[in-house]
Amino acid sequence: MPVYDEKTNEVNAKIVYYGPGLSGKTTNIHYIYRKLKPEHKGKLTVLATQTDRTLFFDFLPIELGEIKGIKTRFQVYTVPGQVFYNATRKLILKNVDGIVFVADSARDKLAQNIESFENLEENLAFYKRNLKDIPHVLQYNKRDLPDISSIEELNSALNKYNAPYIEACATKGKGVLETLTTICKMVLRAIKESMEARAAGKVFVEVPPPKTEDKKIEEVKKVEEKPLILFSAGDIKLAGDGEVVIPITLKDKDGNLLKEIEVSFKFSVKEKEGG
């Protein structure tokens, strides 16, 4: 759910690009980054293997100005497509507000698309969420290939909830910005509905206590019983030896600073035998 910071009057929403390996998720992000105006984009963080496949995530904060006096910022991530990085994919889906599923249109990739889509729903179920209740767009990428699945075949296999779909060729930029615009509008519409619900006396933003074994966050939970607002407060850093450090700021619902911490994750790359 979107996080609203009353102190800065800013809404932060999270969009995740999901899909099988080499379907074009990172290509989408790089094209978006090149096309956005400097004042509308933050730092692009890319962690990739030597073969240029996304290992952890791409992160691109996008500022779209103000909506009804509230600043909006989209934090855009991609996930690794390879199945053996599923723990990372699941982690990145936490608190997601909008999803772009990037499917590979090549006919021989249909089974991989279906597997990845099912994996998406399984990982959302881990957080007790359902894709039908989350704004999402299907991007059918690589429409320039000679042997591709038809739109009817792809919709039949993947479009379970009658979501918007866009034909694309990310390497040429076709459909990339249209995809981003579509998912942003859908998320903004959801934010607007939440704001209207808040005006009617319902909860707009609720951040549950984080379920983690991190002792620093557990310490904050013991000290502060008020609802917390949790958001990234700085650039993601590489600390060496496969360690990724994410600065996090914890504030109460009134915008008062409670604690600044750093959450770190470690990853490693292993070659498959004979690979």
Side-chain angles (χ1 to χ4, degrees), residues 125-274:
F126 175 82
Y127 298 111
K128 297 182 180 180
R129 302 186 67 186
N130 194 309
L131 184 61
K132 70 178 181 180
D133 301 320
I134 301 173
H136 65 282
V137 175
L138 298 174
Q139 184 191 88
Y140 299 142
N141 193 26
K142 303 185 182 181
R143 300 304 293 172
D144 58 330
L145 296 178
D147 186 20
I148 59 177
S149 299
S150 68
I151 296 299
E152 291 75 15
E153 290 172 323
L154 290 168
N155 272 331
S156 177
L158 303 173
N159 202 352
K160 294 174 59 175
Y161 306 110
N162 197 30
Y165 63 87
I166 296 167
E167 296 184 66
C169 177
T171 55
K172 300 177 181 177
K174 179 181 178 182
V176 174
L177 296 181
E178 182 183 356
T179 300
L180 178 67
T181 301
T182 301
I183 190 61
C184 285
K185 286 182 177 179
M186 293 174 72
V187 172
L188 287 173
R189 189 179 305 120
I191 292 174
K192 180 181 177 182
E193 292 173 355
S194 295
M195 292 173 64
E196 292 173 349
R198 185 192 185 205
K202 300 178 182 179
V203 176
F204 169 45
V205 174
E206 180 182 356
V207 181
K211 296 180 180 180
T212 177
E213 295 181 0
D214 190 292
K215 294 182 179 179
K216 294 181 180 179
I217 295 182
E218 290 296 328
E219 178 184 344
V220 173
K221 287 169 59 181
K222 292 178 182 178
V223 173
E224 179 58 64
E225 295 297 329
K226 296 180 181 179
L228 301 179
I229 295 175
L230 175 83
F231 62 93
S232 177
D235 292 336
I236 296 168
K237 300 177 290 186
L238 289 175
D241 296 327
E243 184 177 11
V244 179
V245 179
I246 304 177
I248 298 292
T249 294
L250 292 170
K251 295 184 178 181
D252 64 23
K253 64 183 181 63
D254 298 319
N256 299 313
L257 178 65
L258 297 177
K259 205 171 190 67
E260 292 183 346
I261 62 175
E262 288 186 340
V263 179
S264 63
F265 306 93
K266 282 193 174 182
F267 61 87
S268 62
V269 180
K270 295 182 180 179
E271 289 191 4
K272 296 173 62 178
E273 292 184 8

